[in-house]
Amino acid sequence: MLVIVYSLIAFILICIILIWYICTYNYFQTFIIRMNESEAFIDTTLRKRFDLLNKSVGIIKANTKGKEKVLESIVDLKSQKLSNFELDRILYNAMNEFHRYKEEIPTLTDSEAFLKIDLALFESESEIVSARKYYNDIITDYNRLVLRFPSNIVAKICNYKVKPYFDGKDMTDNDDKDFKL
């Protein structure tokens, strides 16, 4: 009779642990799905920004009479395979170059096509800022799950690792050179 009671208690404990494991695993999966969706949105927005900057190259060259190389980093990107982190930083620098041309060449603002590109780039900036914030919020919650007990047990079993924030900074290393001000 005592063996049956102990067997029943063991069975109940195993069931509770199994249910907890399944719930925690599914919670991780929810964050992974949200991260993937957010990454896809960021990727789409970065591609849109790249296309807009690429379209502006011809307009800027026409207004500079082709005297200089315009947005070289954008033209060179076509053949490269980059992460969203790297692409975002390159596009950020290209955006600064785009705005420099806008200030230096007043005839650019006479072009309707250039103004449309400028407006679309402005709109894409707000999209990418909100997408970065959403992604980083998801990453914060996911990393908490990976690091906190008892969910870190499931993380170790499933080999889930801490993910970097969208800005590419690794908060767990000693390298402070990855911070851009």
Side-chain angles (χ1 to χ4, degrees), residues 4-5 11 21 54 57 70 86-87 105 108 110 118 124 130 135-138 140 161 180:
I4 295 175
V5 171
F11 178 74
Y21 178 86
N54 201 26
V57 170
V70 176
E86 296 165 321
L87 182 60
I105 307 169
L108 283 174
D110 296 338
D118 188 35
S124 76
S130 65
Y135 178 82
N136 288 339
D137 288 346
I138 294 167
T140 298
K161 305 281 185 215
K180 287 189 95 173

Side-chain angles (χ1 to χ4, degrees), residues 109-158:
T109 55
D110 296 338
S111 168
E112 186 177 328
F114 183 84
L115 291 175
K116 284 182 181 178
I117 291 171
D118 188 35
L119 179 62
L121 285 171
F122 178 76
E123 291 169 354
S124 76
E125 181 62 28
S126 63
E127 289 174 8
I128 200 76
V129 165
S130 65
R132 266 192 222 121
K133 182 180 178 341
Y134 179 69
Y135 178 82
N136 288 339
D137 288 346
I138 294 167
I139 292 297
T140 298
D141 294 338
Y142 173 84
N143 287 344
R144 282 184 188 141
L145 270 180
V146 170
L147 296 172
R148 286 187 178 165
F149 181 81
S151 60
N152 66 347
I153 296 169
V154 175
K156 286 182 183 179
I157 292 170
C158 295

Side-chain angles (χ1 to χ4, degrees), residues 33-49:
I33 290 167
R34 288 174 58 200
M35 279 188 290
N36 291 338
E37 289 170 348
S38 180
E39 286 172 356
F41 181 75
I42 289 170
D43 185 58
T44 302
T45 306
L46 290 175
R47 301 282 172 216
K48 178 175 136 184
R49 182 182 280 184

